[in-house]
């Protein structure tokens, strides 16, 4: 069994730090790579060693395979962890790492290749009887044939890019008249985004929920699942609030979907951490969507409810160890909710916002975890993903986790950039979210920027009222207790700055 002594993390930001923390606890030395824009970044300061790999644009730094493998060689690292994004789902990178005599902390390259194509993934999964959304299993290019198929499936349908990701190359078609135009758009979007214009057709499931399963496989043929995460709160088909467990799965449905997820992993000889995504329709039928062959952004909610450090498990598996538990031994402990704090303006169609974090104060307290890569005074670089932090709250029940999240959002102080914090509070307070009766159309259905302003104004009014009440109380009791007005003042300044 190989043992990892020094690990290079081919990533930046919160995920680079998160991986390094677990490596350090395992007694493994860490190597950071960084672009010129990240010289002062926390992952660089945290690592035992750091290597500059090029100028700020990702294509000249974090995406340069040879340079990153070269940095591993220079520093005598024996393994590479790719994090998420960048090269994490690049089969050629995984191969090059292995060919350089290093350990890739991830799945086998062949599995990345199969699951990297949505069509190849569907074909592999169908052999293991995993339910698929009705649709084509081959790319379609002939428009009249495509229309015939769509009619058979029944509108609305979805045209999807086989190489797709990040919601790109995806088009909803409501009727035959729109078909040709939308198909041309999907093909050209897929060609420019992925260099591969092949598209296929799927039934558009109206009002679905996005439910994904965390799976783990080892190199000895064992595969388990670590339950589900619900990620139905999305903007632009991209997740912004996640939770585990889902409020709609019964133990029976969980067991069925978990088994299907394990079968998807088996269909491509998978090992290490992976995520199998499904959509669940209104009648609780589930369909396989795709598999992500890496650690997910939202993996902490699974860590909170299982008590398992997924990065440590990834490292152990890469070293050749067996999964140290059996499926039956796993239990769900309480409930975890995650919000992604992006430097984005929810009032302006979630447009990325860049700037300096003038104030940056994390919330504290029992059951709150903040994974980030920033400090007060740092700037959000314009070159990369605008995520500032992930905040995860864990409690005994879903309701308690939501209440804790609302408290934590109120305590999180960020000025200098617009953030999704206010939007996330809107979600936490919304009746549809709280009752568990929501789907992927939540944002389109319920969110309007005016409502956000209203909730901010409501909070500001509440704060003014409580400050006044405290003052009246203080005067009435002739007390000297100042400590209440401190946080209230800071908080209102923060809120005023954000509007
Ligand atoms: P990407 O890889 O581009 O993120 P996915 O296949 O993972 O694309 O889908 C992203 C999101 O798009 C899903 O979470 C879901 O909200 C929506 N979606 C995908 N396929 C369908 C479908 N057939 N019907 C309805 N919604 C879908």
């Amino acid at each position: 069994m190989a043992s990892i002594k020094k690990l290079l993390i081919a990533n930046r930001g919160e995920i680079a730090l998160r991986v390094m923390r677990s490596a350090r606890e395992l007694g493994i030395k860490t190597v950071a790579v960084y672009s010129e824009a990240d010289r002062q970044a926390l992952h660089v300061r945290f690592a035992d060693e750091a290597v500059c790999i090029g100028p700020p644009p990702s294509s000249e730094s974090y995406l340069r395979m040879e340079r990153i493998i070269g940095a591993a060689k220079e520093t005598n690292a024996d393994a590479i962890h790719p994090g998420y994004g960048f090269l994490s789902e690049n089969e050629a990178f995984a191969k090059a790492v292995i060919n350089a005599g290093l350990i890739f902390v991830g799945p086998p390259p062949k599995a990345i290749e199969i699951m990297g194509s949505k069509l190849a993934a569907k074909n592999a999964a169908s052999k293991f009887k995993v339910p698929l959304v009705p649709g084509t299993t081959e790319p379609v290019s002939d428009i009249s044939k495509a229309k015939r198929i769509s009619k058979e499936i029944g509108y609305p349908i979805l045209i999807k890019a086989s190489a797709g990701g990040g919601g790109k190359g995806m088009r909803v078609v409501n009727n035959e008249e729109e078909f040709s135009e939308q198909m041309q758009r999907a093909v050209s979007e897929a060609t420019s985004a992925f260099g591969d214009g092949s598209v296929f057709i799927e039934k558009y499931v109206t009002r679905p929920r996005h439910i994904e399963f965390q799976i783990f496989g080892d190199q000895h043929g064992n595969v388990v699942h670590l339950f589900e995460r619900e990620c139905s709160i999305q903007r632009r088909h991209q997740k912004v609030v996640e939770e585990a467990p889902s409020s709609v799965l019964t133990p029976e449905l969980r067991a069925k979907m978990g088994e299907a997820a394990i079968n998807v992993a088996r269909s491509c000889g998978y090992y290490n951490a992976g995520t199998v995504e499904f959509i669940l329709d209104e009648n609780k039928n589930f369909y396989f969507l795709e598999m992500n062959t890496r650690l997910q952004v939202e993996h902490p909610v699974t860590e909170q409810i299982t008590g398992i450090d997924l990065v440590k498990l990834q490292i152990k598996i890469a070293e050749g160890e067996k999964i140290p538990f059996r499926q039956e031994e796993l239990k769900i402990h309480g409930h975890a909710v995650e919000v992604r704090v992006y430097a984005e303006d929810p009032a302006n169609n979630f447009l990325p916002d860049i700037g300096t974090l003038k104030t940056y104060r994390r919330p504290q307290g029992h059951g709150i975890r903040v994974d980030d890569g920033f400090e007060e005074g740092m700037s959000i670089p314009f070159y990369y993903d605008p995520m500032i932090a992930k905040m995860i709250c864990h409690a005994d029940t879903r309701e308690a986790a939501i209440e804790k999240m609302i408290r934590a959002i109120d305590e999180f102080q960020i000025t200098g950039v617009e953030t999704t914090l206010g939007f996330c509070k809107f979600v936490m307070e919304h009746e549809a979210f709280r009752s568990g009766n929501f789907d992927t159309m939540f944002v389109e259905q319920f969110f309007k920027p005016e409502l956000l302003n209203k909730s901010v104004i409501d909070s500001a009014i509440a704060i003014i009222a409580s400050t006044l009440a405290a003052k009246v109380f203080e005067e009435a009791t002739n007390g000297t207790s100042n400590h209440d007005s401190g946080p209230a003042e800071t908080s209102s300044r923060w809120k005023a700055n954000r509007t």
Side-chain angles (χ1 to χ4, degrees):
M1 220 158 31
S3 118
I4 298 174
K5 294 191 180 57
K6 200 188 262 191
L7 177 68
L8 180 143
I9 295 89
N11 217 300
R12 64 180 300 281
E14 66 87 17
I15 195 62
L17 272 165
R18 194 260 162 274
V19 173
M20 285 177 198
R21 288 196 168 107
S22 289
R24 185 161 289 172
E25 287 173 25
L26 291 172
I28 298 172
K29 294 270 178 237
T30 55
V31 181
V33 291
Y34 64 97
S35 77
E36 286 160 14
D38 278 339
R39 275 187 195 288
Q40 303 303 324
L42 295 187
H43 76 284
V44 178
R45 286 193 252 153
F46 188 92
D48 296 302
E49 287 169 74
V51 181
C52 181
I53 49 168
S58 310
S59 59
E60 295 173 42
S61 50
Y62 296 105
L63 290 173
R64 282 173 69 192
M65 302 187 200
E66 293 312 316
R67 184 70 193 98
I68 292 169
I69 293 171
K73 289 283 177 192
E74 277 161 41
T75 53
N76 282 320
D78 37 32
I80 295 187
H81 192 300
Y84 56 69
F86 295 127
L87 295 167
S88 61
E89 289 181 286
N90 188 316
E91 172 225 349
F93 180 62
K95 263 192 193 148
V97 170
I98 295 165
N99 290 341
L102 302 164
I103 295 172
F104 181 70
V105 185
K110 188 73 197 160
I112 302 180
E113 183 193 348
I114 298 172
M115 291 298 151
S117 151
K118 288 190 202 285
L119 272 178
K122 287 178 101 170
N123 282 319
S126 73
K127 297 200 180 93
F128 279 68
K129 308 224 169 348
V130 175
L132 306 177
V133 186
T136 57
T137 47
E138 299 291 325
V140 282
S141 48
D142 180 69
I143 293 218
S144 53
K145 189 176 164 198
K147 280 188 183 167
R148 211 175 50 240
I149 296 168
S150 303
K151 205 167 181 177
E152 273 167 34
I153 297 173
Y155 286 95
I157 60 99
L158 194 61
I159 303 176
K160 271 188 176 181
S162 181
K168 292 202 186 85
M170 219 192 290
R171 294 266 156 190
V172 183
V173 188
N174 292 305
N175 51 53
E176 197 168 316
E177 288 71 60
E178 290 175 8
F179 197 92
S180 308
E181 190 193 335
Q182 297 293 20
M183 174 128 165
Q184 274 153 13
R185 280 201 194 165
V187 171
S188 81
E189 216 170 282
T191 313
S192 69
F194 314 110
D196 172 1
S198 48
V199 296
F200 63 99
I201 294 167
E202 252 178 22
K203 169 102 193 127
Y204 182 67
V205 180
T206 41
R207 319 222 65 122
R209 300 177 75 122
H210 175 118
I211 311 269
E212 60 184 35
F213 272 71
Q214 175 70 55
I215 66 96
F216 254 96
D218 62 25
Q219 301 185 41
H220 309 277
N222 305 302
V223 187
V224 295
H225 73 79
L226 276 66
F227 312 112
E228 78 281 4
R229 293 183 287 259
E230 162 127 32
C231 317
S232 298
I233 307 290
Q234 308 179 345
R235 41 112 185 66
R236 293 190 292 267
H237 295 301
Q238 296 301 303
K239 304 157 189 170
V240 57
V241 174
E242 299 100 344
E243 64 182 308
S246 160
S247 53
V248 282
L249 295 201
T250 57
E252 295 73 35
L253 185 54
R254 176 169 299 121
K256 243 168 118 180
M257 291 179 79
E259 197 187 315
I262 288 174
N263 280 334
V264 172
R266 290 203 188 283
S267 79
C268 62
Y270 203 87
Y271 55 76
N272 218 293
T275 294
V276 180
E277 298 190 337
F278 297 100
I279 45 176
L280 188 71
D281 73 13
E282 285 169 301
N283 302 318
K284 296 211 177 162
N285 299 306
F286 65 92
Y287 307 98
F288 169 58
L289 264 191
E290 66 164 352
M291 180 171 190
N292 292 320
T293 55
R294 55 168 161 82
L295 195 67
Q296 300 272 95
V297 174
E298 59 275 21
H299 77 274
V301 290
T302 302
E303 297 189 314
Q304 299 307 125
I305 62 152
T306 59
I308 297 169
D309 181 321
L310 300 194
V311 172
K312 282 187 185 166
L313 193 53
Q314 281 195 296
I315 293 174
K316 296 277 176 209
I317 283 167
E319 289 181 323
E321 283 192 23
K322 285 188 178 162
I323 295 172
F325 47 79
R326 289 196 317 272
Q327 186 70 57
E328 314 81 72
E329 290 168 347
L330 294 177
K331 278 198 180 62
I332 297 176
H333 301 276
H335 198 97
V337 182
E338 173 181 279
V339 300
R340 300 193 192 184
V341 186
Y342 281 101
E344 283 182 0
D345 187 0
N348 197 1
N349 214 8
F350 294 91
L351 218 67
D353 190 27
I354 43 167
T356 301
L357 295 169
K358 279 196 205 131
T359 318
Y360 186 72
R361 278 179 223 144
R362 300 170 191 87
Q364 294 184 338
H366 181 251
I368 295 176
R369 165 174 171 183
V370 179
D371 281 19
D372 63 11
F374 290 97
E375 269 178 350
E376 196 164 272
M378 287 174 75
S379 298
I380 317 277
F382 133 96
Y383 301 95
Y384 316 113
D385 182 69
M387 193 170 78
I388 305 171
K390 304 186 305 208
M391 177 154 69
I392 304 101
C393 289
H394 183 227
D396 287 346
T397 62
R398 185 171 188 267
E399 210 186 342
I402 293 173
E403 285 305 334
K404 197 182 279 291
M405 183 61 86
I406 292 172
R407 191 270 285 171
I409 290 174
D410 283 342
E411 215 177 298
F412 210 152
Q413 297 175 34
I414 304 180
T415 65
V417 288
E418 295 295 338
T419 79
T420 45
L421 272 174
F423 166 76
C424 292
K425 183 171 176 186
F426 167 83
V427 175
M428 295 299 126
E429 287 179 334
H430 200 279
E431 171 49 30
F433 182 75
R434 296 187 81 108
S435 66
N437 187 16
F438 61 96
D439 54 53
T440 57
M441 296 309 283
F442 179 93
V443 172
E444 286 81 354
Q445 194 184 355
F446 299 118
F447 179 63
K448 286 191 216 80
E450 306 86 83
L451 296 173
L452 191 61
N453 289 338
K454 184 181 173 298
S455 95
V456 171
I457 290 165
D458 283 351
S459 315
I461 290 171
I463 285 159
I464 292 166
S466 70
T467 314
L468 282 176
K471 218 172 157 53
V472 169
F473 176 75
E474 200 183 301
E475 275 165 13
T477 55
N478 202 16
T480 50
S481 140
N482 286 326
H483 68 271
D484 269 344
S485 60
E489 245 178 58
T490 325
S491 187
S492 63
R493 213 184 311 128
W494 164 60
K495 292 214 163 72
N497 274 339
R498 286 177 54 245
T499 48

